[in-house]
């Protein structure tokens, strides 16, 4: 369930770093792109593509930080999975706020008559965060997902599928009473099949303000997973399948039935779920979600790259998982067309402009 409208960096230019400005500033704006559609077609014997972007103007680069190289590395991390997307850093400017820089980007596609879009975001004085339109505050830098990747490797402790290795870690933040989370389970099952080397973790994030049965359902899930990790997934599916019965009158009966479906003793699980220790575990999982910047469900972290599970076509999601694995130098185990089983790097991948 969406608590706040958050747009992901995974969606094309209308998403993270969308075409709207975050705020107005008094600094000069880059020259506007040509009004007529641009012809991105092959010319000459060399077959080189026409450069669609206006030439950069040094007068629009008044800020010393971030550098063009860092911005390009950041955008490459976000957008590099899409080989059809191209961009140019048009401006990095000082603003009236000390240490805050405004970055303007021209972006388009490698298709004939594609139009240039302009998008802007603001880099904060720490150089590690940016404010980007409706996306709010996001991590910034050449490796923007590294810190969250490490946090989740250390703290994501929910029931899991796949290998023990956390080199390719997919963490689903989910709520057992959330209708959109129910819809996302087919996607999660397919990711498990398509990426054999991925460790896929279900992390409880009950949205207690809008789903009154979500906390106790999460507590049941914690206890089911403690008894048998693999039993959690049929339990969760049974809860999703009978989600409409999570009412004040029928929640316990519904959860007990789901435990039975998973092959465990409902009485034992109910006793476990009521203990302070189990409630503390659920609260710890909620805090992990909040510390990770998660404010809606279902959300998926791919080695720290957080994506809305309901907002991305599956084929695009596969590309992003494979690309993030390549950036991090890990293998996916995938054999399907378009998602290669990548070879590990011997050194960290360079930040490419």
């Amino acid at each position: 369930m969406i608590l706040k409208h958050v747009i992901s960096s995974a969606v094309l230019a209308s998403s993270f770093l969308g075409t709207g400005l975050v705020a107005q500033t008094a600094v000069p704006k880059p020259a506007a792109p040509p009004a007529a559609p641009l012809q991105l077609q092959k010319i000459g014997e060399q077959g080189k593509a026409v450069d669609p972007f206006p030439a950069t103007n040094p007068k629009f680069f008044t800020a010393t930080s971030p550098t063009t190289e860092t911005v390009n590395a950041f955008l490459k991390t976000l957008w590099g999975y899409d080989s059809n997307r191209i961009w140019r850093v048009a401006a990095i400017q000082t603003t009236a706020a000390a240490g805050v820089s405004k970055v303007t980007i021209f972006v388009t596609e490698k298709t004939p008559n594609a139009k240039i879009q302009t998008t802007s975001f603001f880099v904060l004085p720490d150089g590690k965060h940016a404010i980007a339109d409706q996306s709010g505050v996001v991590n910034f830098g050449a490796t923007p997902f590294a810190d969250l990747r490490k946090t989740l490797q250390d703290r994501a402790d929910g029931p899991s599928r796949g290998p023990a290795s956390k080199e390719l870690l997919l963490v689903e933040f989910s709520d057992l009473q959330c209708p959109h989370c129910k819809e996302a389970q087919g996607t999660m099952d397919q990711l498990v099949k398509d990426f054999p080397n991925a460790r896929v973790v279900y992390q409880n994030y009950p949205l207690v303000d809008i789903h009154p049965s979500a906390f106790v359902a999460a507590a049941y899930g914690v206890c089911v997973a403690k008894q048998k990790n693999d039993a959690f997934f049929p339990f969760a599916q049974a809860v999703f399948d009978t989600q409409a019965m999570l009412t004040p009158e029928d929640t316990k009966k519904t959860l007990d039935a789901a435990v039975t479906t998973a092959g465990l003793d409902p009485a034992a699980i109910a006793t476990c779920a009521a203990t302070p220790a189990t409630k503390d575990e659920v609260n710890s999982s909620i805090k992990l979600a909040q510390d990770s910047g998660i404010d809606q469900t279902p959300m998926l972290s791919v080695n720290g790259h957080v994506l809305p599970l309901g907002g991305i076509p599956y084929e695009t999601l596969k590309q992003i998982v494979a690309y993030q694995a390549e950036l991090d130098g890990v293998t996916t185990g995938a054999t399907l067309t378009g998602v290669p089983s990548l070879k590990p790097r011997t050194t960290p991948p360079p930040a490419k402009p």
Side-chain angles (χ1 to χ4, degrees):
M1 175 68 64
I2 296 176
L3 290 181
K4 182 172 113 179
H5 188 52
V6 176
I7 305 298
S8 166
S9 59
V11 187
L12 196 51
S14 61
S15 61
F16 170 73
L17 306 184
T19 56
L21 299 178
V22 179
Q24 298 297 323
T25 66
V27 294
K29 296 181 180 179
L38 295 163
Q39 299 291 330
L40 301 182
Q41 57 189 3
K42 301 292 185 179
I43 60 171
E45 294 182 357
Q46 288 75 27
K48 294 182 179 179
V50 172
D51 182 351
F53 299 117
T56 56
N57 189 328
K59 75 177 184 179
F60 297 125
F61 291 78
T62 56
T64 58
S65 178
T67 65
T68 300
E69 290 74 21
T70 298
V71 173
N72 275 322
F74 171 66
L75 295 174
K76 181 73 172 176
T77 302
L78 291 180
W79 290 344
Y81 73 90
D82 182 358
S83 60
N84 193 45
R85 188 181 315 184
I86 54 176
W87 66 85
R88 174 169 294 162
V89 181
I92 304 176
Q93 301 168 295
T94 57
T95 69
V100 176
S101 301
K102 179 182 178 182
V103 178
T104 302
I105 307 296
F106 293 145
V107 60
T108 189
E109 296 180 334
K110 298 177 184 176
T111 52
N113 300 318
K115 294 182 179 180
I116 290 177
Q117 294 184 351
T118 303
T119 185
S120 299
F121 60 95
F122 293 85
V123 177
L124 302 185
D126 65 2
K128 296 181 179 180
H129 298 90
I131 297 177
D133 201 8
Q134 297 180 61
S135 297
V137 177
V138 298
N139 292 332
F140 175 80
T143 55
F145 311 132
D147 288 348
L148 182 55
R149 180 190 184 195
K150 179 64 166 58
T151 294
L152 294 179
Q153 285 176 332
D154 292 342
R155 295 173 56 189
D157 58 359
S160 64
R161 294 181 279 182
S165 171
K166 298 179 181 180
E167 287 301 299
L168 180 56
L169 182 63
L170 276 56
V171 180
E172 175 195 5
F173 291 91
S174 187
D175 172 332
L176 289 167
Q177 201 176 356
C178 160
H180 297 295
C181 298
K182 174 181 178 179
E183 296 167 1
Q185 294 316 296
T187 295
M188 295 308 303
D189 291 343
Q190 195 61 47
L191 286 171
V192 170
K193 294 177 183 177
D194 287 347
F195 296 97
N197 289 1
R199 180 176 178 84
V200 182
V201 176
Y202 180 100
Q203 200 68 36
N204 280 304
Y205 188 22
L207 305 179
V208 295
D209 291 335
I210 56 176
H211 295 148
S213 296
F215 191 97
V216 66
Y220 264 68
V222 166
C223 294
V224 168
K226 276 185 177 180
Q227 281 208 15
K228 186 179 181 182
N229 176 81
D230 290 349
F232 172 81
F233 299 98
F235 162 79
Q237 190 58 58
V239 175
F240 283 130
D241 288 344
T242 55
Q243 205 173 60
M245 300 299 293
L246 292 175
T247 64
E249 299 78 19
D250 293 326
T251 289
K252 186 179 186 307
K253 180 172 66 175
T254 302
L255 295 176
D256 286 347
V259 172
T260 301
T261 299
L264 300 180
D265 176 18
I269 297 300
T271 299
C272 169
T275 63
T278 297
K279 294 176 183 178
D280 286 346
E281 288 193 45
V282 176
N283 284 323
S284 177
S285 188
I286 291 173
K287 188 174 188 307
L288 174 59
Q290 294 170 342
D291 291 348
S292 301
I294 307 298
D295 57 4
Q296 62 173 301
T297 59
M299 295 291 281
L300 177 68
S301 166
V302 180
N303 274 8
H305 187 174
V306 177
L307 307 160
L309 267 172
I312 305 172
Y314 186 70
E315 291 302 313
T316 301
L317 184 59
K318 283 196 301 184
Q319 292 175 1
I320 295 171
V321 173
Y323 181 69
Q324 190 61 47
E326 180 181 19
L327 289 178
D328 294 331
V330 298
T331 60
T332 66
T335 57
L336 64 163
T337 302
V339 183
S341 181
L342 301 165
K343 296 181 179 179
R345 298 181 187 269
T346 56
T347 58
K352 299 179 180 178

